[in-house]
Amino acid sequence: EVQLVQSGAEVKKPGESLKISCKGSGYNFTSFWIAWVRQMPGKGLEWMGIIYPGDSHTIYSPSFEGQVTISADKSINTAYLQWSSLKASDTAMYYCARSVVVASYFDSWGQGTLVTVSS
Amino acid sequence: DIQMTQSPSTLSASVGDRVTITCRASQSISSWLAWYQQKPGKAPKLLIYKASSLESGVPSRFSGSGSGTEFTLTISSLQPDDFATYYCQQYNTYLLLTFGGGTKVEIK
């Protein structure tokens, strides 16, 4: 069974750094892309970027380039999303999702990681 | 950027109703469109890909149609488990994948 399991909820202060994770199992992790999707409270879905764990090739949405860093460690089947300096506006649910090719639909999703940034 | 516009934003319907949700793209995306269902507090779930292909395990009451710039998701007979928010997503270009704003299907 394909599974993407994300790290737990985080509460941070503005200016702090954060790295959340997404661990894949049940499939060849290096042969599929992993995307990150943001959902702000009460809002819709926004594609942030995508990584191919096989070679760490990464593409960012222009809206998120420079704001976050997407990475992966194929030795432990895990993708990451990180911030160097959080803002209150980063408060959201973050999902990882799997796709077969870089421009595709997402056939499996993580359960989501809620990030709350508040002073 | 390709903008995706869903309508309506909210839909009130009863169990057994036929429900249709529309998604319009700001430029042609061929058939590179997916539909998802999201329930409160849960991750989205893939229903339809390539505009009309039903994902494995998804009930046959869900169907998708369209190409180019106009697409529809139809639920032939609404069931209690179908009350949720539905999103379309275009994947015509890897440079920026975009979602529609969502359609919430509520109990009438």
Side-chain angles (χ1 to χ4, degrees), chain B residues 5-8 11 17-24 33-38 45-55 58-67 70-78 82 84-89 102-105:
Chain B
T5 304
Q6 283 184 237
S7 61
L11 186 160
D17 284 353
R18 181 181 181 88
V19 167
T20 298
I21 298 168
T22 298
C23 180
R24 289 188 174 87
L33 184 101
W35 289 97
Y36 301 89
Q37 176 194 67
Q38 186 180 33
K45 173 189 171 184
L46 177 67
L47 299 175
I48 301 282
Y49 61 94
K50 208 174 178 185
S52 61
S53 296
L54 192 68
E55 172 70 346
V58 173
S60 59
R61 63 181 179 272
F62 291 93
S63 64
S65 65
S67 66
E70 188 149 339
F71 303 86
T72 58
L73 173 71
T74 300
I75 309 173
S76 60
S77 178
L78 197 66
D82 302 338
T85 300
Y86 294 84
Y87 293 94
C88 61
Q89 177 228 332
T103 296
K104 185 175 182 180
V105 177

Side-chain angles (χ1 to χ4, degrees), chain A residues 10-18 38 40-41 48 63-68 82-92 94 115-119:
Chain A
E10 301 274 2
V11 179
K12 292 289 191 180
K13 290 182 166 45
E16 291 185 331
S17 62
L18 176 64
R38 183 175 79 173
M40 298 179 78
M48 302 175 70
S63 298
F64 292 93
E65 179 126 42
Q67 308 305 308
V68 297
Q82 69 181 88
W83 295 260
S84 58
S85 181
L86 286 159
K87 302 185 282 284
S89 58
D90 293 318
T91 294
Y94 293 88
V115 174
T116 303
V117 184
S118 174
S119 54

Side-chain angles (χ1 to χ4, degrees), chain B residues 1 16 32 48 90 94 98 103 107:
Chain B
D1 298 4
W32 304 122
I48 301 282
Q90 67 81 17
Y94 69 89
T98 47
T103 296
I107 300 172

Side-chain angles (χ1 to χ4, degrees), chain A residues 39 47 59 95 104-106 110, chain B residues 36 38 42-43 87 89 94:
Chain A
Q39 188 167 38
W47 178 78
I59 300 166
Y95 294 101
S104 186
Y105 53 88
F106 304 113
Chain B
Y36 301 89
Q38 186 180 33
K42 299 293 187 182
Y87 293 94
Q89 177 228 332
Y94 69 89

